[in-house]
Amino acid sequence: MSEEVVDPSHPRYQSLMMRKRISEAGVKGMLADSALIAHGRGEAFDYLLGEQTIPSALEATREVAARLVAAKKPVLSLNGNAIALAAREFLTIASQLGCPIEINIFYRTPQRMGALLAHLKLLNSDLGLDVEILGGIPDAKIPGLEGPRAACQKDGILEADAILVPLEDGDRCEALVAMGKDVLVIDLNPLSRSARRGTVAVVDEVSRVATNLIQLIPEKPEITNWDNDKALQSALDHIVGDMSDKFES
Ligand code: PTJ
């Protein structure tokens, strides 16, 4: 798909642009085989949310911003889909926070890690930023997980006190929570294990969340006594309860 064929006046323009980013990243060898399936599942939930940031998601994003700003050692843990969809935004956020990005992928191969590292390093220099990119040479393991998905870096995920995990696997989310970290999840599915087990879950599309975080981080919001179940219920209520702000296309 070339840029010209995505018509900006199309009512689903943003959604089509996200598909384009995903398919281009696939061609570059950055994605897992199941990445498009995961993206499609996310699209289905986004359609039900009206492809918008609902009020409870904006509140959750503010809470995530507050916890990242207050953390002593925050880290952004990015997988293939998150990098395909919002690499520029996450580099900007890491620069605002002065924290590293760690590439942490579920389906780990040297080829994918190489492609993802190269993509982030190129954008880092295009944006004139100097964000530390970790993950290439793992030297630690997430306790309680087996295999390549446990691999991480001591200076990054292992020692972080707050960790942003877009589209995280449920097992790994639980393992990170068990380590006592603030686990800040982005997932369009309010019923996913990650959304339910995370400290704060933002039920919103990853690139919209990243854009909102860039606005919210400089405001340095205060941490609240966050009730994650209440926020997830609010997202579910929005999906099932209100047809008036849905669209047809
Ligand atoms: O790059 P890797 O190897 O780490 O693999 C990444 C994927 C996403 C393939 C892997 O983690 C996976 O299979 O994920 P799941 O178990 O399918 O879960 C993906 C979750 O992300 C689902 O709950 C989707 O609803 C949600 N999701 C998909 N796209 C988006 C999303 N959430 C927010 N924004 C999206 N664009």
Side-chain angles (χ1 to χ4, degrees), residues 24-224:
E24 285 175 354
V27 170
K28 288 182 189 163
M30 289 160 50
L31 300 183
D33 289 345
S34 55
L36 272 73
I37 299 169
H39 186 76
R41 180 160 27 166
E43 275 194 346
F45 281 103
D46 204 16
Y47 191 88
L48 293 170
L49 287 164
E51 292 178 355
Q52 60 181 325
T53 299
I54 62 172
S56 61
L58 190 59
E59 281 312 299
T61 309
R62 192 184 310 279
E63 186 69 22
V64 166
R67 288 172 187 250
L68 287 171
V69 167
K72 288 196 175 68
K73 285 192 88 172
V75 66
L76 314 183
S77 169
L78 301 186
N79 65 10
N81 287 46
I83 291 172
L85 294 171
R88 283 175 188 274
E89 291 84 348
F90 283 120
L91 282 163
T92 304
I93 292 165
S95 169
Q96 286 175 316
L97 295 166
C99 81
I101 285 176
E102 181 161 341
I103 302 175
N104 193 255
I105 57 179
F106 191 85
Y107 302 104
R108 193 182 179 102
T109 65
Q111 292 78 10
R112 283 192 64 208
M113 281 304 294
L116 289 164
L117 277 164
H119 185 71
L120 279 186
K121 283 182 177 167
L122 189 67
L123 282 180
N124 212 4
S125 93
D126 278 1
L127 293 169
L129 300 176
D130 189 24
V131 172
E132 189 181 10
I133 315 285
L134 304 174
I137 308 169
D139 56 1
K141 284 189 165 194
I142 300 170
L145 287 180
E146 293 303 322
R149 66 186 177 151
C152 71
Q153 254 180 264
K154 184 171 177 293
D155 280 350
I157 288 174
L158 193 79
E159 290 187 343
D161 53 349
I163 174 164
L164 183 70
V165 285
L167 286 71
E168 183 58 285
D169 164 70
D171 283 350
R172 213 163 43 182
C173 178
E174 285 181 348
L176 294 168
V177 170
M179 290 171 80
K181 301 177 190 305
D182 255 5
V183 181
L184 311 169
V185 171
I186 301 172
D187 195 322
L188 278 158
N189 177 3
L191 295 172
S192 79
R193 205 147 43 101
S194 297
R196 287 181 287 126
R197 295 286 184 271
T199 319
V200 180
V202 184
V203 181
D204 198 3
E205 198 279 325
V206 65
S207 66
R208 290 200 301 267
V209 179
T211 303
N212 288 335
L213 279 172
I214 291 169
Q215 299 298 318
L216 290 166
I217 285 168
E219 293 176 15
K220 296 190 178 13
E222 292 290 321
I223 292 178
T224 70

Side-chain angles (χ1 to χ4, degrees), residues 3 16 25-26 74 86 110 137 144 180-181 198 205 227 247:
E3 188 134 10
L16 294 177
I137 308 169
K181 301 177 190 305
E205 198 279 325
D227 184 341
F247 51 79

